[in-house]
Amino acid sequence: MTRKSHTAHYPDAQPALPPRTRGVIGLFEENCTVCMLCARECPDWCIYIDSHKETVPPAAPGGRERSRNVLDRFAIDFALCMYCGICIEVCPFDALFWSPEFEYAETDIRELTHERDKLREWMWTVPAPPALDPRAEEPKEVAAARKAAEKLAAAQEQAGRPPAEGEDA
């Protein structure tokens, strides 16, 4: 009460945001497999996804053709979104991320539905995850892979042959 208040004059002075600020949702399109989990789990039903199936030729001769989903439309209606983050949490392929962007206001509420090109632009503003704690224990998957590689190297040493090219020693 004894100090004078300080007012930041936004938009001339940009606010200093915390590093992992939740602004809007960014889409990393390459990771999206069109599984529709995000759209199904969204409590507001504000995610719109359209796709089609494509057949992919066999990778090896004599193989069979595969079909895969191709993303046609991915849009989020931010007029409906309540920014709960459920879509980001349920995405099994890490295609959705929180971006710190917060300046996406529109004059018309109908323009708050942002398509995948805009969501992709916001993806590049997502900060890198914090560095791992060097004192933390090694993840189980990494430990299992390291033990398997050490076991293979020991077996090859006992057999008296050097490891093949591309194998870890």
Side-chain angles (χ1 to χ4, degrees):
M1 294 191 46
T2 59
R3 286 186 286 158
K4 191 173 183 175
S5 64
H6 172 72
T7 303
H9 296 284
Y10 178 81
D12 298 329
Q14 293 291 324
L17 299 173
R20 301 298 288 176
T21 299
R22 287 182 170 193
V24 292
I25 298 168
L27 171 68
F28 190 54
E29 198 173 329
E30 287 78 18
N31 285 358
C32 184
T33 60
V34 196
C35 66
M36 306 255 188
L37 275 174
C38 55
R40 282 194 302 245
E41 294 296 324
C42 179
D44 293 331
W45 291 83
C46 65
I47 299 175
Y48 310 111
I49 300 174
D50 291 329
S51 67
H52 69 275
K53 287 202 180 277
E54 240 179 39
T55 56
V56 179
R64 66 181 177 97
E65 290 184 338
R66 307 273 180 178
S67 66
R68 68 180 185 109
N69 288 325
V70 177
L71 186 64
D72 292 330
R73 179 180 186 223
F74 193 104
I76 299 177
D77 187 353
F78 286 104
L80 295 175
C81 183
M82 65 179 182
Y83 304 91
C84 63
I86 292 174
C87 57
I88 295 168
E89 294 295 322
V90 300
C91 182
F93 301 102
D94 289 334
L96 297 173
F97 293 89
W98 282 114
S99 169
E101 291 293 316
F102 63 93
E103 296 175 321
Y104 57 95
E106 300 289 343
T107 56
D108 187 5
I109 195 168
R110 291 172 291 195
E111 294 175 4
L112 279 173
T113 301
H114 294 291
E115 299 291 331
R116 69 181 181 180
D117 55 342
K118 187 66 174 175
L119 298 175
R120 184 174 186 67
E121 285 177 30
W122 286 330
M123 182 60 209
W124 305 121
T125 64
V126 173
L132 297 176
D133 185 1
R135 298 178 310 247
E137 67 181 54
E138 188 176 37
K140 295 175 190 169
E141 297 85 359
V142 174
R146 185 180 41 75
K147 286 179 184 175
E150 289 171 358
K151 191 175 182 180
L152 178 65
Q156 289 173 347
E157 256 182 47
Q158 285 180 345
R161 69 172 183 91
E165 199 171 301
E167 292 180 345
D168 290 331

